Amino acid sequence: MKSEHLIDALATQGWYIWDDFLSLKQVQEIKLAIPQQLTDARIGNGEKLQENKNIRGDQTLWLEPEMGEPIALYMDKMEELRQLINRQLYLGLRDFETHYCRYPQGTFYKKHCDNFQGKGLRKVTTVLYLNEFWQSGDGGELAMFNNDDQQLATVDPIGGRLVIFMSEDFPHEVLPTKTERCSIAGWFLSQKVF
């Protein structure tokens, strides 16, 4: 059972790749439910929030269950994961925030951390890939590093694949895309945001 592998991997190495987390049909349904109006992504937070295409070139949209049944079903599935991780690893995860990301051809996201040690609410990062036709050479892979800057993995952004990792422990980057790359990034949080 893949959920058991997830728990073991998070407990021992801090990250896990779950192939076929969603079917390609479910991936297509989610993409059809995404509104077309996206916003250029920004970096930083609070008053330091800024757009910087030299660091990050994707376009995003925060997701809500009201956007359609496929998105609501995905968020329900992530709620089940939150509860499972809490039951097994006692992380005290209280909420989930998520947004859709579209990387146009030629864009990237330079190496960054989703949550610096003890500085924020994000505890577990999730990335669901929505690229039904991705093939080798299309770019947009996720490069993962440890805190000593050693590269641990390069993950192909294959449709239906979910990557999960501890937010504070793994700097990562999206390598330059040679074709459009779509995903849903999400974070399990230590507090409710609303």
Side-chain angles (χ1 to χ4, degrees):
M1 183 185 240
K2 290 195 178 183
S3 58
E4 292 171 5
H5 295 297
L6 163 69
I7 296 301
D8 289 343
L10 284 179
T12 56
Q13 69 183 16
W15 58 283
Y16 181 65
I17 298 170
W18 187 329
D19 285 329
D20 302 316
F21 180 75
L22 292 185
S23 70
L24 289 182
K25 181 176 187 286
Q26 291 170 310
V27 164
Q28 291 165 346
E29 289 170 348
I30 287 174
K31 286 177 83 172
L32 288 172
I34 301 287
Q36 293 301 306
Q37 190 67 33
L38 305 179
T39 302
D40 286 341
R42 298 183 289 173
I43 58 171
N45 59 33
E47 293 178 9
K48 296 183 179 181
L49 199 59
Q50 62 178 312
E51 187 179 314
N52 187 334
K53 298 268 187 209
N54 293 318
I55 295 175
R56 181 178 187 181
D58 60 319
Q59 301 163 322
T60 63
L61 175 71
W62 290 97
L63 299 181
E64 299 294 338
E66 298 78 22
M67 292 177 172
E69 185 177 0
I71 294 170
L73 291 172
Y74 169 71
M75 293 181 85
D76 287 346
K77 194 162 181 160
M78 298 311 286
E79 173 60 16
E80 291 171 16
L81 264 188
R82 184 190 69 79
Q83 291 178 22
L84 171 71
I85 293 169
N86 273 346
R87 273 195 313 274
Q88 299 296 319
L89 299 178
Y90 309 105
L91 294 182
L93 306 174
R94 302 193 187 287
D95 207 353
F96 181 66
E97 64 179 4
T98 187
H99 64 66
Y100 173 75
C101 309
R102 181 174 62 213
Y103 287 81
Q105 182 178 356
T107 58
F108 51 85
Y109 191 168
K110 290 198 174 176
K111 192 189 305 179
H112 63 283
C113 250
D114 286 346
N115 195 41
F116 293 102
Q117 292 286 333
K119 300 281 188 205
L121 302 178
R122 294 174 173 175
K123 299 303 175 193
V124 179
T125 297
T126 66
V127 182
L128 173 70
Y129 295 113
L130 304 176
N131 311 296
E132 315 98 282
F133 307 111
W134 187 90
Q135 52 190 328
S136 182
D138 285 349
E141 298 91 346
L142 177 73
M144 293 180 59
F145 302 84
N146 64 20
N147 284 320
D148 294 324
D149 209 33
Q150 296 173 312
Q151 188 166 342
L152 302 174
T154 302
V155 183
D156 295 336
I158 297 169
R161 171 178 281 173
L162 182 72
V163 181
I164 305 175
F165 56 91
M166 303 305 294
S167 301
E168 294 181 346
D169 299 335
F170 299 99
H172 53 283
E173 66 180 312
V174 176
L175 300 178
T177 60
K178 295 183 180 148
T179 186
E180 184 177 270
R181 172 202 187 270
C182 299
S183 61
I184 296 177
W187 300 272
F188 291 114
L189 310 172
S190 59
Q191 294 179 22
K192 288 246 182 218
V193 289
F194 297 109

